[in-house]
Amino acid sequence: GQQVMQIPQYQHVQEGEDFTTYCNSSTTLSNIQWYKQRPGGHPVFLIQLVKSGEVKKQKRLTFQFGEAKKNSSLHITATQTTDVGTYFCAGISNQFYFGTGTSLTVIP
Amino acid sequence: NAGVTQTPKFQVLKTGQSMTLQCAQDMNHEYMSWYRQDPGMGLRLIHYSVGAGITDQGEVPNGYNVSRSTTEDFPLRLLSAAPSQTSVYFCASKDGGLGQYFGPGTRLTVT
């Protein structure tokens, strides 16, 4: 069946370092979305990528969608303590398939 | 707008009991969905609905029923609770091709 894998599962960084999480699907996706969940909170939508090779930026966050529409990445430049949380990708084919998430800890 | 609301916030059930998790949204979204979140497994889709009167199964539908009689409400029913259903349950809704809005979640423990 459809699988969306995400790596790494955990990432600890010093404040100011960069962070990247990767998302890979076993099948081609129509589009992909990214969500952030703070500890004890609910997922919050960040962005959607639709086109092959698409790159979008939100301040220090850069999102990419692979050429084959089977992988995606989220890169955060110069992390801050406010970036703490779990980042999920969600691949969309006939329904939503969430990745397992990457938990980011930022050490001040 | 209240967004997506869920009740209860916490619930403890005994094995074999049934209950309904409530979900409501006031944004007139056609699409609504239920997920369960377990440690290390991300969010798994249980059931979803693309509009009133229409429901469909997600990745892990066994043991759960849903109905969608109105646009606003999408309750999730546990037929006979099992310890394996201990989880955090999230309801979500969306408008068209945009991202989903999630409710605050229900923490369910089945003993």
Side-chain angles (χ1 to χ4, degrees):
Chain A
Q2 174 89 39
Q3 281 192 332
V4 176
M5 306 302 293
Q6 205 172 336
I7 56 170
Q9 188 174 359
Y10 302 97
Q11 185 77 58
H12 295 239
V13 299
Q14 292 283 342
E15 189 173 16
E17 290 183 338
D18 292 357
F19 160 78
T20 305
T21 174
Y22 300 90
C23 184
N24 291 287
S25 170
S26 57
T27 61
T28 302
L29 303 168
S30 59
N31 48 30
I32 196 160
Q33 297 180 348
W34 284 91
Y35 293 78
K36 177 183 178 180
Q37 184 176 24
R38 293 184 184 275
H42 57 274
V44 174
F45 173 68
L46 295 176
I47 207 161
Q48 175 170 270
L49 304 171
V50 178
K51 299 177 183 176
S52 168
E54 188 170 14
V55 177
K56 286 188 175 180
K57 293 190 176 185
Q58 286 181 350
K59 296 183 181 178
R60 295 178 293 104
L61 277 62
T62 302
F63 304 84
Q64 293 189 337
F65 201 9
E67 294 290 340
K69 301 185 76 174
K70 295 178 73 173
N71 61 289
S72 181
S73 65
L74 158 59
H75 179 82
I76 302 178
T77 303
T79 53
Q80 300 175 358
T81 54
T82 54
D83 296 326
V84 165
T86 300
Y87 292 84
F88 292 98
C89 62
I92 300 148
S93 50
N94 58 325
Q95 58 181 252
F96 280 85
Y97 295 93
F98 275 78
T100 47
T102 296
S103 176
L104 172 64
T105 301
V106 179
I107 304 163
Chain B
N1 286 352
V4 180
T5 58
Q6 291 183 239
T7 56
K9 290 187 178 180
F10 302 93
Q11 182 71 51
V12 179
L13 291 177
K14 293 186 188 299
T15 297
Q17 287 184 316
S18 63
M19 80 157 295
T20 300
L21 306 185
Q22 301 292 344
C23 174
Q25 53 92 9
D26 60 0
M27 298 173 282
N28 202 34
H29 288 171
E30 291 293 333
Y31 182 94
M32 296 186 73
S33 55
W34 276 102
Y35 293 87
R36 60 177 290 171
Q37 185 172 35
D38 303 294
M41 300 190 73
L43 293 143
R44 291 183 292 168
L45 182 64
I46 304 172
H47 285 284
Y48 65 99
S49 168
V50 296
I54 306 168
T55 63
D56 211 342
Q57 295 182 350
E59 196 178 348
V60 289
N62 292 341
Y64 308 95
N65 272 358
V66 291
S67 59
R68 185 92 181 273
S69 56
T70 67
T71 299
E72 295 77 19
D73 300 297
F74 191 43
L76 177 73
R77 183 164 179 82
L78 279 69
L79 308 173
S80 177
S84 60
Q85 294 179 304
T86 293
S87 188
V88 180
Y89 290 85
F90 287 102
C91 177
S93 72
K94 75 180 184 76
D95 181 23
L98 302 178
Q100 296 187 80
Y101 290 85
F102 282 81
T106 294
R107 295 183 180 274
L108 176 68
T109 301
V110 182
T111 61

